[in-house]
Amino acid sequence: MAYASSLTQISLGDKVRFTQERLSVLTPLDRKRLEGRIGVVQGFWNFSRKLTVYFPEDGGRRELRIPSVDPRQLEQVAEGLIVSKKEPDITKPTSSDERLSQDDTDNLFG
């Protein structure tokens, strides 16, 4: 069973994220919890068109399951679009005493 949003079909098992329009109306705390996170559609809420979306643990943010999500607030995420902005520089040898730069940390968890 799939629900037709304005542009795409969202089905069980699809990877999704909240749209920028939806994130822009959330409180700063909720926006921080959801921005950039990719979740998986797990089911439909109470036999309706609203979805249950599961967000796994991500970069220190706890796992999260949100029921009753309007599919129009979501966008599908294609596998090819989940890429890091920049590859970390691993050409130089490192010792166990070194720390990652802020850019490398952002790329690792972002």
Side-chain angles (χ1 to χ4, degrees):
M1 177 178 193
Y3 178 79
S5 67
S6 58
L7 299 174
T8 61
Q9 297 274 349
I10 296 180
S11 302
L12 291 176
D14 284 353
K15 291 186 178 184
V16 295
R17 65 180 165 215
F18 280 96
T19 63
Q20 286 301 316
E21 293 81 17
R22 179 61 181 150
L23 292 170
S24 69
V25 298
L26 296 176
T27 64
L29 180 61
D30 286 339
R31 188 176 318 118
K32 183 178 180 181
R33 288 177 43 212
L34 296 171
E35 196 165 34
R37 289 185 82 170
I38 297 172
V40 178
V41 176
Q42 287 191 323
F44 295 87
W45 182 250
N46 287 339
F47 306 102
S48 71
R49 292 182 174 170
K50 297 203 174 187
L51 305 170
T52 298
V53 181
Y54 170 74
F55 294 89
E57 187 176 336
D58 174 41
R61 295 186 283 186
R62 296 176 9 171
E63 70 179 4
L64 181 63
R65 182 172 282 108
I66 304 176
S68 192
V69 177
D70 187 328
R72 294 174 291 187
Q73 298 173 351
L74 300 170
E75 58 189 11
Q76 283 181 304
V77 178
E79 288 292 330
L81 295 179
I82 306 172
V83 293
S84 175
K85 296 175 191 169
K86 176 186 159 195
E87 292 294 321
D89 181 16
I90 57 172
T91 56
K92 61 182 180 181
T94 60
S95 72
S96 61
D97 295 336
E98 292 184 14
R99 295 184 178 180
L100 290 175
S101 70
Q102 186 62 50
D103 285 341
D104 288 343
T105 302
D106 291 345
N107 287 328
L108 183 63
F109 295 107

